[in-house]
């Protein structure tokens, strides 16, 4: 890891969807079935869950919205209690993954099925809207991290098992059009570089975790401009309000188990690390 980085936690099982809010960092420990909140006056809070949450985001109201991994639903969390936000029984055959909340409160959430079964991106209208849930995009090969760039005009989706970042234009009506390859990690970096979580930098570039590539890379204007190598599986990332870069990684605790099997058996250790802006600048 980069010299000068700060370890925020290293006792999670699998650290997904890091999100900053009001000076606190929220992390989904998916395999540990808990929501971990780091920082602030409380230091750290762990909310244990009966049904694990994967992707998360914040609604305009300030409430957290989370995708229940196996529950075919989105729920809202007000800091104490959970309530139903949207239900997907008629839509979801696989597992809910990452999500992004657009400025108007629209939620885009991944449905993933497997490395050879394309998934989809579901659109959930803002709270109070009479619009139904719809499929925003289909035939995505394990859709994962979601991020907007170009002032919110472009959505970038990490297609993990395709090894690429795929972009859509978000039209004025909120529909996704003009599908195109935004960056091909597999072609540019190699077979092991498969994208997972992603986040946008202040300059419009995109940081993306490369899973078995064991690195976080930054893409700007279709070009690789930065890379941070890590010891372990690169899961997800987010940029903080003051330019911090948060990285989440995991390692297997059993040398006989692959990282995926170890995670399924809760035999992984996941870490959350923060890199200060001045340290991050050294990589540019």
């Amino acid at each position: 890891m980069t010299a000068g980085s700060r370890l925020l936690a290293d006792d999670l099982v699998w650290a997904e969807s890091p999100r900053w809010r009001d000076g606190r960092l929220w992390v989904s420990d998916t395999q540990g079935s808990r929501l971990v909140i780091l920082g602030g006056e409380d230091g750290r809070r762990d909310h244990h869950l009966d049904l694990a949450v994967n992707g998360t985001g914040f609604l305009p109201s300030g409430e957290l919205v989370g995708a229940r991994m196996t529950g075919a639903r989105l729920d809202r969390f007000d800091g104490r209690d959970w309530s139903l936000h949207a239900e997907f029984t008629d839509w979801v055959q696989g597992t809910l993954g990452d999500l992004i909340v657009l400025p108007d409160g629209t939620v885009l959430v991944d449905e993933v099925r497997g490395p050879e079964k394309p998934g989809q991106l579901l659109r959930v209208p803002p709270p109070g809207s009479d619009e139904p849930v719809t499929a925003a995009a289909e035939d995505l090969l394990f859709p994962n991290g979601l991020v907007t760039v170009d002032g919110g005009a472009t959505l970038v989706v990490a297609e993990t098992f395709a090894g690429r970042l795929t972009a859509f234009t978000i039209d004025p009506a909120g529909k996704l059009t003009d599908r195109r390859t935004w960056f091909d990690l597999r072609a540019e970096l190699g077979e092991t570089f498969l994208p997972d979580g992603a986040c946008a930098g202040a300059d419009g570039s995109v940081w993306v975790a490369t899973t078995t590539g064991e690195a976080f890379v930054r893409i700007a204007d279709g070009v690789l401009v930065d890379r941070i190598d890590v010891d372990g599986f690169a899961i997800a990332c987010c940029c903080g309000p003051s330019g911090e870069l948060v990285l989440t990684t995991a390692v297997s605790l059993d040398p006989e188990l692959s990282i995926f099997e170890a995670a399924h058996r809760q035999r992984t250790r996941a870490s959350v690390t923060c890199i200060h802006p001045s340290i991050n600048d050294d990589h540019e």
Side-chain angles (χ1 to χ4, degrees):
M1 184 63 71
T2 305
S5 58
R6 182 163 57 99
L7 184 65
L8 302 182
D10 66 352
D11 61 345
L12 282 64
V13 184
W14 197 261
E16 289 278 8
S17 193
R19 302 285 190 261
W20 282 101
R21 179 76 177 190
D22 297 333
R24 294 180 173 89
L25 182 70
W26 300 60
V27 183
S28 293
D29 187 356
T30 54
Q31 304 304 316
S33 294
R34 57 183 168 170
L35 184 66
V36 179
I37 306 171
L38 302 169
E41 296 180 358
D42 300 327
R44 171 170 170 169
R45 285 183 289 164
D46 288 27
H47 292 273
H48 294 275
L49 308 171
D50 294 330
L51 190 61
V53 166
N54 198 344
T56 61
F58 289 94
L59 297 167
S61 65
E63 293 175 296
L64 182 85
V65 61
R68 299 289 189 177
M69 286 181 64
T70 58
R73 58 189 281 166
L74 297 184
D75 286 339
R76 294 194 302 272
F77 182 59
D78 63 7
R80 296 186 59 183
D81 301 310
W82 292 88
S83 59
L84 179 67
H85 183 74
E87 192 268 335
F88 301 113
T89 301
D90 297 332
W91 284 97
V92 173
Q93 300 178 28
T95 299
L96 292 181
D98 208 350
L99 64 77
I100 186 171
V101 181
L102 301 182
D104 69 348
T106 295
V107 177
L108 298 173
V109 59
D110 303 323
E111 182 214 9
V112 296
R113 299 183 185 179
E116 298 179 356
K117 295 181 180 180
Q120 61 183 329
L121 193 59
L122 299 172
R123 179 184 182 274
V124 181
S129 172
D130 293 330
E131 297 179 62
V133 172
T134 56
E138 299 177 300
D139 295 322
L140 294 165
L141 196 53
F142 209 94
N144 218 318
L146 302 166
V147 63
T148 56
V149 293
D150 302 331
T154 300
L155 176 75
V156 177
V157 182
E159 287 191 84
T160 299
F161 290 113
R164 64 178 174 240
L165 301 178
T166 297
F168 296 87
T169 297
I170 305 175
D171 73 12
K175 296 184 181 298
L176 303 183
T177 63
D178 189 24
R179 178 173 178 164
R180 59 209 183 266
T181 296
W182 200 77
F183 189 79
D184 192 328
L185 282 80
R186 179 178 285 168
E188 297 291 335
L189 298 171
E191 292 292 322
T192 61
F193 289 80
L194 307 176
D196 192 335
C199 65
D203 60 355
S205 62
V206 171
W207 279 100
V208 59
T210 68
T211 62
T212 51
E214 298 191 347
F216 292 82
V217 299
R218 185 163 67 95
I219 314 300
D221 298 322
V223 177
L224 175 67
V225 296
D226 206 348
R227 172 172 172 167
I228 300 174
D229 292 303
V230 295
D231 295 324
F233 189 98
I235 303 173
C237 52
C238 75
C239 292
S242 299
E244 307 93 334
L245 178 63
V246 172
L247 313 177
T248 70
T249 59
V251 295
S252 173
L253 297 177
D254 188 333
E256 300 299 320
L257 298 178
S258 71
I259 188 70
F260 300 106
E261 186 175 0
H264 181 68
R265 297 186 185 186
Q266 297 185 325
R267 293 287 297 150
T268 49
R269 184 182 73 248
S271 301
V272 182
T273 304
C274 182
I275 299 177
H276 190 271
S278 61
I279 301 299
N280 187 30
D281 290 344
D282 293 339
H283 287 266
E284 294 182 354

